[in-house]
PDB file of all heavy atoms in Angstrom:
ATOM      1  N   ASN W1180     -74.913   8.979 151.635  1.00 98.00           N
ATOM      2  CA  ASN W1180     -76.288   8.889 151.236  1.00 98.00           C
ATOM      3  C   ASN W1180     -76.944  10.285 150.981  1.00 98.00           C
ATOM      4  O   ASN W1180     -77.500  10.539 149.884  1.00 98.00           O
ATOM      5  CB  ASN W1180     -77.180   8.142 152.339  1.00 98.00           C
ATOM      6  CG  ASN W1180     -78.604   7.943 151.928  1.00 98.00           C
ATOM      7  OD1 ASN W1180     -78.832   7.392 150.851  1.00 98.00           O
ATOM      8  ND2 ASN W1180     -79.530   8.276 152.793  1.00 98.00           N
ATOM      9  N   CYS W1181     -76.844  11.101 152.042  1.00 98.00           N
ATOM     10  CA  CYS W1181     -77.588  12.479 151.801  1.00 98.00           C
ATOM     11  C   CYS W1181     -76.602  13.639 151.667  1.00 98.00           C
ATOM     12  O   CYS W1181     -77.112  14.753 151.319  1.00 98.00           O
ATOM     13  CB  CYS W1181     -78.539  12.766 153.067  1.00 98.00           C
ATOM     14  SG  CYS W1181     -77.495  13.135 154.564  1.00 98.00           S
ATOM     15  N   GLY W1182     -75.276  13.487 151.824  1.00 96.00           N
ATOM     16  CA  GLY W1182     -74.350  14.522 151.547  1.00 96.00           C
ATOM     17  C   GLY W1182     -74.107  15.501 152.779  1.00 96.00           C
ATOM     18  O   GLY W1182     -73.292  16.353 152.607  1.00 96.00           O
ATOM     19  N   PHE W1183     -74.772  15.249 153.861  1.00 97.00           N
ATOM     20  CA  PHE W1183     -74.560  16.048 154.974  1.00 97.00           C
ATOM     21  C   PHE W1183     -73.072  16.074 155.491  1.00 97.00           C
ATOM     22  O   PHE W1183     -72.450  14.982 155.429  1.00 97.00           O
ATOM     23  CB  PHE W1183     -75.522  15.657 156.218  1.00 97.00           C
ATOM     24  CG  PHE W1183     -75.368  16.412 157.392  1.00 97.00           C
ATOM     25  CD1 PHE W1183     -75.843  17.794 157.410  1.00 97.00           C
ATOM     26  CD2 PHE W1183     -74.706  15.951 158.554  1.00 97.00           C
ATOM     27  CE1 PHE W1183     -75.708  18.593 158.578  1.00 97.00           C
ATOM     28  CE2 PHE W1183     -74.622  16.704 159.635  1.00 97.00           C
ATOM     29  CZ  PHE W1183     -75.107  18.037 159.740  1.00 97.00           C
ATOM     30  N   VAL W1184     -72.493  17.138 155.848  1.00 96.00           N
ATOM     31  CA  VAL W1184     -70.993  17.223 156.075  1.00 96.00           C
ATOM     32  C   VAL W1184     -70.879  17.637 157.571  1.00 96.00           C
ATOM     33  O   VAL W1184     -71.523  18.568 158.086  1.00 96.00           O
ATOM     34  CB  VAL W1184     -70.347  18.187 155.221  1.00 96.00           C
ATOM     35  CG1 VAL W1184     -68.864  18.451 155.570  1.00 96.00           C
ATOM     36  CG2 VAL W1184     -70.477  17.786 153.740  1.00 96.00           C
ATOM     37  N   GLU W1185     -69.978  16.939 158.192  1.00 94.00           N
ATOM     38  CA  GLU W1185     -69.454  17.206 159.588  1.00 94.00           C
ATOM     39  C   GLU W1185     -68.037  17.538 159.566  1.00 94.00           C
ATOM     40  O   GLU W1185     -67.349  17.004 158.741  1.00 94.00           O
ATOM     41  CB  GLU W1185     -69.764  16.120 160.609  1.00 94.00           C
ATOM     42  CG  GLU W1185     -71.180  15.686 160.802  1.00 94.00           C
ATOM     43  CD  GLU W1185     -71.432  14.528 161.664  1.00 94.00           C
ATOM     44  OE1 GLU W1185     -70.461  13.814 162.037  1.00 94.00           O
ATOM     45  OE2 GLU W1185     -72.643  14.233 162.032  1.00 94.00           O
ATOM     46  N   ILE W1186     -67.698  18.658 160.308  1.00 93.00           N
ATOM     47  CA  ILE W1186     -66.202  19.005 160.246  1.00 93.00           C
ATOM     48  C   ILE W1186     -65.539  18.706 161.640  1.00 93.00           C
ATOM     49  O   ILE W1186     -66.147  19.114 162.616  1.00 93.00           O
ATOM     50  CB  ILE W1186     -66.109  20.517 159.952  1.00 93.00           C
ATOM     51  CG1 ILE W1186     -66.758  20.834 158.625  1.00 93.00           C
ATOM     52  CG2 ILE W1186     -64.708  20.915 159.867  1.00 93.00           C
ATOM     53  CD1 ILE W1186     -66.990  22.340 158.317  1.00 93.00           C
ATOM     54  N   TYR W1187     -64.376  18.083 161.497  1.00 90.00           N
ATOM     55  CA  TYR W1187     -63.686  17.675 162.775  1.00 90.00           C
ATOM     56  C   TYR W1187     -62.268  18.268 162.668  1.00 90.00           C
ATOM     57  O   TYR W1187     -61.618  18.372 161.616  1.00 90.00           O
ATOM     58  CB  TYR W1187     -63.504  16.178 162.823  1.00 90.00           C
ATOM     59  CG  TYR W1187     -64.882  15.471 163.077  1.00 90.00           C
ATOM     60  CD1 TYR W1187     -65.577  15.030 162.011  1.00 90.00           C
ATOM     61  CD2 TYR W1187     -65.447  15.345 164.286  1.00 90.00           C
ATOM     62  CE1 TYR W1187     -66.789  14.354 162.103  1.00 90.00           C
ATOM     63  CE2 TYR W1187     -66.594  14.773 164.492  1.00 90.00           C
ATOM     64  CZ  TYR W1187     -67.306  14.220 163.391  1.00 90.00           C
ATOM     65  OH  TYR W1187     -68.616  13.634 163.615  1.00 90.00           O
ATOM     66  N   ASN W1188     -61.714  18.689 163.865  1.00 87.00           N
ATOM     67  CA  ASN W1188     -60.391  19.022 164.013  1.00 87.00           C
ATOM     68  C   ASN W1188     -59.611  17.888 164.431  1.00 87.00           C
ATOM     69  O   ASN W1188     -59.759  17.372 165.497  1.00 87.00           O
ATOM     70  CB  ASN W1188     -60.287  20.215 165.106  1.00 87.00           C
ATOM     71  CG  ASN W1188     -59.018  20.810 165.227  1.00 87.00           C
ATOM     72  OD1 ASN W1188     -57.941  20.125 164.952  1.00 87.00           O
ATOM     73  ND2 ASN W1188     -58.819  21.905 165.652  1.00 87.00           N
ATOM     74  N   PRO W1189     -58.688  17.397 163.527  1.00 85.00           N
ATOM     75  CA  PRO W1189     -57.888  16.223 163.962  1.00 85.00           C
ATOM     76  C   PRO W1189     -56.968  16.367 165.139  1.00 85.00           C
ATOM     77  O   PRO W1189     -56.667  15.383 165.808  1.00 85.00           O
ATOM     78  CB  PRO W1189     -57.118  15.816 162.624  1.00 85.00           C
ATOM     79  CG  PRO W1189     -57.112  17.072 161.796  1.00 85.00           C
ATOM     80  CD  PRO W1189     -58.311  17.839 162.238  1.00 85.00           C
TER      81      PRO W1189
END
Side-chain angles (χ1 to χ4, degrees):
N1180 185 51
C1181 72
F1183 181 73
V1184 176
E1185 296 177 350
I1186 302 170
Y1187 295 93
N1188 183 336

